[in-house]
Amino acid sequence: MLSAFTARPIVELKQRDKSKIESILAYGDRLLVGLSHGSLRVYRINEPIDDAKAHNGPAAQDHTSSPSSKQPLVDLMREEEKFSKYKIDQLAVIKEANLLVSLSNGLVSTHDLHTYELQETLLKAKGATAFAVTSNIVKDPSTDVPSIVSRLAVAVKRRVILWSWHDSELEPDTAEHTLVTGVKTLTWASGTKLIAGLTSSYVLVDIGTSVVTDIVGPGSIGGAPGQDGGRFGGVGVSTINYMGLGGAAPKPLATQLGQGQLLLAKDINTLFIDIEGQSLGRRQIPWAVAPEAIGYSYPYLLALQATRGTLEVRNPETLTLLQTISLPNASQLHISQPNISLAHAGKGFLVVSERCVWRMGALEYDSQIDALVDRGRLDEAISLLGMLEDALLKDKEGRLREIKMLKAQYLFDLRRYRESLDLFTEVSAPPERVIRLFPPIIAGDLSAQADVAHDDKREGEIQADDVTSEGGSHEDSTSKDGKLSHTSTDESKAGTNDGTHGSGEQARRVNDGAIPEGKDLKSATAELRPFLVQARTRIQKYLNPDSTLKDARGAQKLEVSNVQEAQELLLAHAPGSEEERRQQLVATAILVDTTLFRAYMFASPSLAGPLFRLDNFCDPDVVKDKLIETRRYNDLVDFYYGKKLHEQALELLQKFGKEAQAEQSASQLAGPQRTVSYLQGLSAENIDLILRFADWPLNVDPNLGMEVFLADSENAETLPRQRVLNFLSSKDKALAEKYLKHIIEELNDTTPAFHQKLVDIYIQGLKEGRFTGELNQEQWEEHTLSFLRSSHYYQPYKALQKLPADNPKFYEPRAIVLNKMGQHKQALEIYVFKLQDPEKAEDYCNQVQLAQTSSTMATKQGHRSTATDLEDKSTSIYHSLLSLYLSPPPPHKPQWGPALQILAKHGARMPASSTLDLIPEILPIKDLESYFRGRIRSANTTINESRVTSALRSSLVFSEEAKLRLGDGVPGGNGGRNRHVLISDNRVCGVCYKRFGGSAIKVLPNNSVVHYGCSNQ
């Protein structure tokens, strides 16, 4: 059992002293003892009551001890023999008013706190049975000024009488509340609410509103009519009375607990309530015998069993009995008021018998926690840590986390895997610690299975109540604390008589089954996966996929106050420098992801693939061996891709892709399709691998293989094109031609070398008569001519050198190239004399004329070329064609028909003088009728156009002048010369906001008016 307190007698009446101790009061370094004959003894305590660390030892075999030092624990300062004529039943202090309050012979009296002289006997409280004192800081509602308000509540039969002191001044008026039955005990729930223990029930009295609320509870607490409620049908052990057998009615007890809770106890029935009197719904304390007194010494619940002479120390949350201290004939508990000593300063309290006063010293809280953990009482340690304040412990959060991890490990040993892993997740346990609990098939070399002997030596016995029911609630769990009430006070016997402690054989059984197997392993693995996924998420908050720590800006988004501490929660060992922390985080990430992979492969292999498609830190060797063993080659390829092990992945794809009959498990990898898809996912930095492993798909299926370079993706578009072109040219010129067409036509590549290369391929194909792809000669020629016309980035002179001049197939390509070089006359000679195609010659001239006109329009916007303009030109393209038709070089003859068509269609575009010079005299004028008509029509068109333009401009001038003179006719618009504005006495300038008066003004176009001097501002 726990040694939370040790008892030491500080006041013992001598044998010849016939008096008895009836009441005590401790405050500061003073201890007041009220005796049965009315005397008051005043002691000075040489050591503060709440400072007993030097005397608290866990090795104490007997909880009572005698002083070890020569200096006495207390010194008798004085004795007031005439303090009262009768026994002193109760003592209390109102420190702010410098008063000592006593109850003797049914009278409540006030005394001076220093001289102990009687000041006043409250005659109004004659016949009092009990009183209660409280002091609180209250703010005045009107001034918001705080003041100390002390209240004294006295129970007189059915009445409760109240006296109040404000800042040590007694108020003249008293308040009185009458209840249904006699009042036995009074306990302050708060500064304005009072718990009154009546003969048969409890009530809550609100002294501010005078509202009395009945408290409904089980059995003798005060159940509703007809409700039996209690564990013995509402009849207390001490109330059984049959044929003269019986005893006194049990006294109603009440005490304050922490966080606004109170405990009511009568007989063996208990009720937990809040300060409003509402039940908290908690189970009753398993007392076998009704306590004589109850109290609360932070953070424990105390119960004095007078019939047994013991003091029970319980956890107020779990109600577990933690310690039983033997105190013969003890009958009273004295705990300092909460307003006198802080809650956490209540380590020391007093226990009183008729002849002795014991001071209870508390062991250090850290030592108490250690003792509970050593005994395997993990739930009690967790509960105690939750109740204690941070300042009272060394590293409270760290201790609580460690103990919860111990409990989670114990739950794991009990095969309660869900509860265990949920608890590990709750405390963010280091993944290494959790993974060690699994066999090598999950944990690998980290598994603890290899050292079973070390696991069998785990120290400490595990208490069964450390593991509650499935819900994990302390209140709903089945407790064996009833057996503990009979536990011996000898600490050496507690370990064997405590029925909740497992034996060594039981502990060994638990340890033997710690490593799960079979179905247990599958269940444990299923619960492990969510823990590992959460651990991955936490690691990703601090670690980049490239194994570098995230910067401070990324850490600020995590809403973590101390990023370094949060990172260390993931690690099993505290790192030193930032680099060490990074290395440990990387190692942890590798461990988590590799273990998660093993867990997936063990329970759900289909989930391993999605893991590889995310950034992960899985160990490549482990993954490779496992996936090859299970023949999951497709997942292995995905893993290689995620880890950027592209060479290994492509070698594997090449191996299975070339096999004529792939095994069933690798059927998805058969053929070049999977390799092509993989290569399409590689970036330009892997160009060497792409070219190396694209060779065999191109050999097997060129069209499919070319998708590596022709795909509509960023990776394909950013590949180094010159290297790709060289590679494809070495394979097949058809592939090079296909790639060049793609980058030029689809990607708009303007690199001259690529354009020249495609021209060379087209010309070479025409020369050799070998055409790539599915093109025949006619289609190839069309593609060649189209590209020669459309491209502006190849070098015409190089192309012309490769085009034979005497081969008819190359006549038109040469004409196109000559056009690119500006040699129009030579190009027209080809169309006129070699191809003898007037239509193509005319089309050629039309294209050249259109290009020239477009460039002229770009430099002279809005100016139209006319026949007059053309007169100034030296020659035009049509003039050149006409000269070839009419004055051909020998041995060619003039071609009158095409020449007359040119004159009829385009005569207006040629200079008249030079054109007429070309026409031979023998040509009849009648044949030139179309030419002259065209010239005249063109001249008339120009004149008519100028007239129309002049008329339109005159109309526009007239319209604008009318607007200026007469206005635009729009309300509020421009009024012309009729425009006017109204200047009133209240109108002000829009700039300086002053009235105009007789100042000069200026009217703006929008009819706003300003001072003339303000118009420039």
Side-chain angles (χ1 to χ4, degrees):
M1 295 182 71
L2 179 66
S3 296
F5 297 99
T6 56
R8 192 167 9 165
I10 58 174
V11 175
E12 292 181 287
L13 299 183
K14 298 179 180 180
Q15 292 183 355
R16 65 175 179 270
D17 192 344
K18 303 303 181 182
S19 59
K20 299 178 181 179
I21 300 176
E22 297 291 341
S23 60
I24 63 170
L25 173 65
Y27 66 94
D29 63 345
R30 291 292 185 268
L31 173 62
L32 308 183
V33 179
L35 303 179
S36 58
H37 55 71
S39 296
L40 179 69
R41 292 183 181 175
V42 182
Y43 294 89
R44 180 181 65 193
I45 302 175
N46 294 324
E47 191 177 1
I49 287 182
D50 58 354
D51 186 11
K53 296 180 183 178
H55 305 283
N56 296 338
Q61 296 296 324
D62 191 347
H63 295 286
T64 61
S65 60
S66 60
S68 59
S69 61
K70 295 182 180 180
Q71 182 181 8
L73 295 177
V74 296
D75 294 326
L76 179 62
M77 303 296 295
R78 60 192 294 183
E79 181 174 357
E80 295 290 333
E81 295 182 355
K82 297 181 179 181
F83 186 81
S84 177
K85 295 180 180 180
Y86 304 95
K87 66 176 182 178
I88 305 173
D89 296 315
Q90 189 176 351
L91 293 171
V93 64
I94 303 178
K95 190 174 182 181
E96 292 73 25
N98 197 31
L99 292 178
L100 174 65
V101 184
S102 66
L103 173 62
S104 178
N105 193 31
L107 292 175
V108 177
S109 304
T110 59
H111 308 261
D112 184 272
L113 187 58
H114 299 295
T115 64
Y116 308 106
E117 294 180 357
L118 177 65
Q119 289 190 350
E120 182 182 0
T121 299
L122 305 179
L123 298 177
K124 197 172 183 179
K126 186 176 182 181
T129 56
F131 68 83
V133 174
T134 184
S135 295
N136 300 277
I137 298 177
V138 179
K139 287 187 178 181
D140 187 279
S142 59
T143 62
D144 203 29
V145 175
S147 61
I148 299 177
V149 177
S150 301
R151 292 186 174 93
L152 169 64
V154 181
V156 183
K157 297 181 181 179
R158 292 170 51 197
R159 297 177 300 155
V160 177
I161 307 174
L162 296 168
W163 283 265
S164 298
W165 285 262
H166 282 262
D167 290 333
S168 75
E169 295 294 331
L170 176 63
E171 290 188 348
D173 298 331
T174 60
E176 185 174 320
H177 303 275
T178 303
L179 307 179
V180 292
T181 59
V183 181
K184 300 297 183 181
T185 59
L186 293 174
T187 305
W188 285 100
S190 66
T192 58
K193 293 183 179 180
L194 186 66
I195 298 291
L198 308 182
T199 304
S200 58
S201 63
Y202 288 85
V203 295
L204 177 68
V205 181
D206 190 329
I207 64 174
T209 61
S210 299
V211 175
V212 178
T213 305
D214 293 328
I215 299 176
V216 179
S220 57
I221 294 292
Q227 176 183 354
D228 56 5
R231 288 177 289 164
F232 296 98
V235 179
V237 175
S238 301
T239 63
I240 300 176
N241 190 355
Y242 177 73
M243 296 298 290
L245 297 177
K251 187 167 106 176
L253 306 175
T255 184
Q256 289 188 10
L257 303 176
Q259 300 177 349
Q261 299 181 13
L262 293 95
L263 171 64
L264 309 182
K266 190 174 183 183
D267 197 2
I268 58 172
N269 297 297
T270 58
L271 177 66
F272 290 90
I273 63 172
D274 58 18
I275 59 174
E276 301 297 331
Q278 300 299 319
S279 172
L280 298 177
R282 299 179 58 185
R283 64 186 179 92
Q284 297 191 52
I285 299 176
W287 281 325
V289 180
E292 182 69 20
I294 61 174
Y296 177 75
S297 179
Y298 181 84
Y300 296 110
L301 177 62
L302 309 173
L304 186 61
Q305 303 283 358
T307 58
R308 295 185 175 183
T310 59
L311 176 67
E312 293 184 355
V313 180
R314 292 180 180 270
N315 185 325
E317 287 189 353
T318 65
L319 307 183
T320 304
L321 180 61
L322 299 177
Q323 184 180 11
T324 302
I325 304 173
S326 177
L327 298 170
N329 302 320
S331 59
Q332 297 182 43
L333 281 175
H334 176 75
I335 303 171
S336 298
Q337 301 177 24
N339 59 333
I340 294 178
S341 64
L342 296 176
H344 65 265
K347 293 181 180 179
F349 60 95
L350 303 176
V351 181
V352 185
S353 69
E354 293 182 349
R355 307 288 298 175
C356 183
V357 178
W358 289 276
R359 183 178 65 184
M360 308 304 296
L363 186 69
E364 285 186 337
Y365 292 127
D366 286 304
S367 301
Q368 295 182 37
I369 299 297
D370 292 338
L372 289 172
V373 174
D374 291 342
R375 290 166 174 80
R377 309 192 71 170
L378 304 179
D379 275 341
E380 297 302 328
I382 293 171
S383 176
L384 183 58
L385 281 168
M387 292 185 291
L388 292 173
E389 299 175 6
D390 295 354
L392 304 178
L393 296 165
K394 299 176 182 177
D395 189 18
K396 174 183 174 179
E397 292 184 0
R399 294 290 302 277
L400 182 60
R401 179 171 181 258
E402 176 63 27
I403 295 173
K404 284 187 176 181
M405 286 192 288
L406 291 175
K407 179 183 176 182
Q409 185 168 347
Y410 174 63
L411 288 170
F412 191 91
D413 293 344
L414 293 180
R415 298 183 177 86
R416 297 168 65 172
Y417 303 118
R418 173 169 296 183
E419 298 173 52
S420 173
L421 270 299
D422 286 347
L423 191 54
F424 275 128
T425 303
E426 176 188 338
V427 299
S428 301
E432 178 181 344
R433 183 166 183 169
V434 180
I435 295 171
R436 288 180 59 87
L437 303 175
F438 287 81
I441 192 173
I442 302 297
D445 297 337
L446 190 64
S447 174
Q449 194 174 38
D451 193 9
V452 178
H454 176 71
D455 292 341
D456 291 340
K457 294 180 181 180
R458 290 167 54 192
E459 57 181 347
E461 297 179 342
I462 308 299
Q463 182 177 359
D465 78 324
D466 282 341
V467 184
T468 60
S469 61
E470 288 291 329
S473 170
H474 296 298
E475 294 299 328
D476 298 331
S477 61
T478 302
S479 176
K480 299 183 180 179
D481 293 335
K483 298 181 180 180
L484 294 177
S485 60
H486 301 285
T487 304
S488 171
T489 57
D490 190 348
E491 188 67 32
S492 62
K493 297 180 182 179
T496 57
N497 292 344
D498 189 350
T500 61
H501 283 265
S503 63
E505 182 180 357
Q506 179 183 2
R508 282 193 298 274
R509 286 201 302 269
V510 171
N511 289 334
D512 291 341
I515 302 296
E517 298 177 353
K519 293 183 178 179
D520 290 337
L521 180 56
K522 284 193 175 182
S523 300
T525 304
E527 302 301 333
L528 175 66
R529 290 186 327 212
F531 171 82
L532 295 176
V533 170
Q534 188 187 62
R536 290 188 80 248
T537 304
R538 290 163 50 207
I539 292 174
Q540 290 171 359
K541 294 180 180 179
Y542 314 107
L543 199 63
N544 292 314
D546 58 354
S547 301
T548 59
L549 291 176
K550 289 190 175 180
D551 56 11
R553 289 177 296 177
Q556 291 174 358
K557 299 178 182 177
L558 306 177
E559 300 181 359
V560 177
S561 57
N562 192 324
V563 175
Q564 181 174 347
E565 292 181 3
Q567 292 173 354
E568 292 177 0
L569 292 178
L570 292 163
L571 309 178
H573 309 286
S577 63
E578 180 176 345
E579 177 61 22
E580 292 178 358
R581 184 165 64 255
R582 186 196 67 81
Q583 293 176 0
Q584 289 196 28
L585 278 173
V586 172
T588 303
I590 294 174
L591 174 63
V592 169
D593 285 355
T594 305
T595 305
L596 182 59
F597 162 73
R598 290 193 180 106
Y600 282 148
M601 292 301 299
F602 177 76
S604 303
S606 60
L607 296 178
L611 174 65
F612 300 148
R613 298 182 187 100
L614 304 174
D615 293 326
N616 64 82
F617 292 88
C618 293
D619 188 343
D621 295 335
V622 174
V623 174
K624 177 183 176 182
D625 295 342
K626 193 66 177 178
L627 292 180
I628 291 178
E629 177 186 348
T630 56
R631 300 177 181 272
R632 301 186 66 87
Y633 302 109
N634 197 45
D635 289 340
L636 181 58
V637 171
D638 290 339
F639 173 74
Y640 280 148
Y641 181 82
K643 302 298 288 185
K644 294 182 172 50
L645 301 174
H646 303 304
E647 185 173 3
Q648 292 90 322
L650 290 169
E651 289 175 352
L652 184 66
L653 290 172
Q654 183 176 0
K655 171 186 174 183
F656 288 104
K658 288 184 176 181
E659 290 183 359
Q661 294 182 349
E663 56 184 281
Q664 183 66 25
S665 58
S667 59
Q668 296 180 352
L669 308 183
Q673 178 62 53
R674 191 70 173 84
T675 300
V676 171
S677 300
Y678 192 98
L679 292 173
Q680 288 176 338
L682 299 183
S683 60
E685 61 186 14
N686 300 295
I687 183 62
D688 293 331
L689 287 175
I690 293 174
L691 298 181
R692 172 183 167 190
F693 287 95
D695 184 73
W696 77 269
L698 288 172
N699 294 334
V700 175
D701 189 345
N703 291 330
L704 179 61
M706 282 299 294
E707 290 300 319
V708 176
F709 311 106
L710 305 183
D712 186 13
S713 64
E714 183 180 357
N715 289 337
E717 294 176 5
T718 56
L719 292 176
R721 295 171 182 174
Q722 186 61 53
R723 292 195 59 184
V724 174
L725 179 60
N726 295 339
F727 168 73
L728 294 176
S729 298
S730 64
K731 295 286 297 179
D732 190 351
K733 293 191 180 301
L735 302 180
E737 182 260 343
K738 192 173 184 179
Y739 180 71
L740 286 170
K741 288 184 64 177
H742 171 74
I743 62 175
I744 292 173
E745 297 177 1
E746 300 294 335
L747 305 183
N748 298 319
D749 195 317
T750 59
T751 304
F754 294 154
H755 287 253
Q756 187 64 45
K757 180 67 175 178
L758 185 56
V759 169
D760 294 343
I761 291 176
Y762 279 137
I763 295 174
Q764 189 68 24
L766 288 176
K767 286 181 178 180
E768 298 176 358
R770 293 185 300 174
F771 313 114
T772 62
E774 300 178 354
L775 301 179
N776 53 30
Q777 179 177 357
E778 183 178 354
Q779 293 174 334
W780 185 268
E781 290 177 356
E782 290 180 359
H783 286 194
T784 303
L785 296 177
S786 175
F787 184 74
L788 288 174
R789 289 192 187 98
S790 60
S791 177
H792 302 283
Y793 301 100
Y794 64 90
Q795 297 178 357
Y797 70 92
K798 287 187 177 180
L800 186 63
Q801 291 176 356
K802 296 184 179 182
L803 292 172
D806 54 352
N807 192 334
K809 292 191 300 185
F810 297 96
Y811 286 162
E812 189 168 0
R814 285 181 62 86
I816 295 173
V817 173
L818 289 171
N819 178 25
K820 294 289 185 181
M821 298 173 63
Q823 304 294 332
H824 301 302
K825 186 173 182 180
Q826 296 181 24
L828 287 173
E829 289 178 352
I830 294 176
Y831 284 114
V832 173
F833 302 121
K834 292 185 177 181
L835 293 177
Q836 296 182 0
D837 191 340
E839 293 184 358
K840 288 186 178 181
E842 184 179 354
D843 290 340
Y844 179 88
C845 293
N846 291 338
Q847 293 175 6
V848 173
Q849 179 66 25
L850 182 62
Q852 293 176 351
T853 304
S854 299
S855 60
T856 303
M857 293 292 292
T859 55
K860 297 182 179 180
Q861 291 292 335
H863 181 72
R864 176 173 175 173
S865 297
T866 63
T868 305
D869 297 329
L870 294 175
E871 294 289 343
D872 299 332
K873 296 181 181 179
S874 58
T875 58
S876 70
I877 188 64
Y878 296 104
H879 189 275
S880 300
L881 179 60
L882 183 64
S883 64
L884 291 176
Y885 281 141
L886 298 178
S887 302
H892 301 289
K893 297 180 179 180
Q895 300 181 28
W896 306 108
L900 293 175
Q901 290 181 1
I902 293 297
L903 286 173
K905 292 181 180 179
H906 309 286
R909 294 189 176 94
M910 295 182 288
S913 58
S914 58
T915 301
L916 292 175
D917 292 340
L918 290 175
I919 299 175
E921 297 179 355
I922 61 174
L923 187 66
I925 297 298
K926 183 179 180 181
D927 294 340
L928 298 175
E929 180 181 359
S930 299
Y931 167 70
F932 290 118
R933 287 183 180 275
R935 293 289 302 183
I936 295 170
R937 188 181 297 111
S938 176
N940 292 338
T941 300
T942 303
I943 294 172
N944 293 336
E945 182 179 354
S946 61
R947 290 174 179 175
V948 171
T949 303
S950 176
L952 290 174
R953 288 183 176 177
S954 298
S955 177
L956 180 62
V957 170
F958 180 80
S959 176
E960 293 298 326
E961 185 176 358
K963 286 182 182 181
L964 292 174
R965 294 176 178 273
L966 305 178
D968 52 13
V970 178
N974 181 16
R977 292 185 176 181
N978 295 327
R979 185 163 63 115
H980 64 279
V981 293
L982 179 62
I983 305 298
S984 63
D985 293 338
N986 296 328
R987 188 160 185 173
V988 296
C989 174
V991 177
C992 65
Y993 300 103
K994 295 180 180 179
R995 291 180 178 154
F996 292 108
S999 303
I1001 63 173
K1002 185 174 183 178
V1003 181
L1004 301 179
N1006 60 356
N1007 288 338
S1008 61
V1009 184
V1010 297
H1011 286 111
Y1012 189 83
C1014 297
S1015 61
N1016 296 327
Q1017 296 182 8

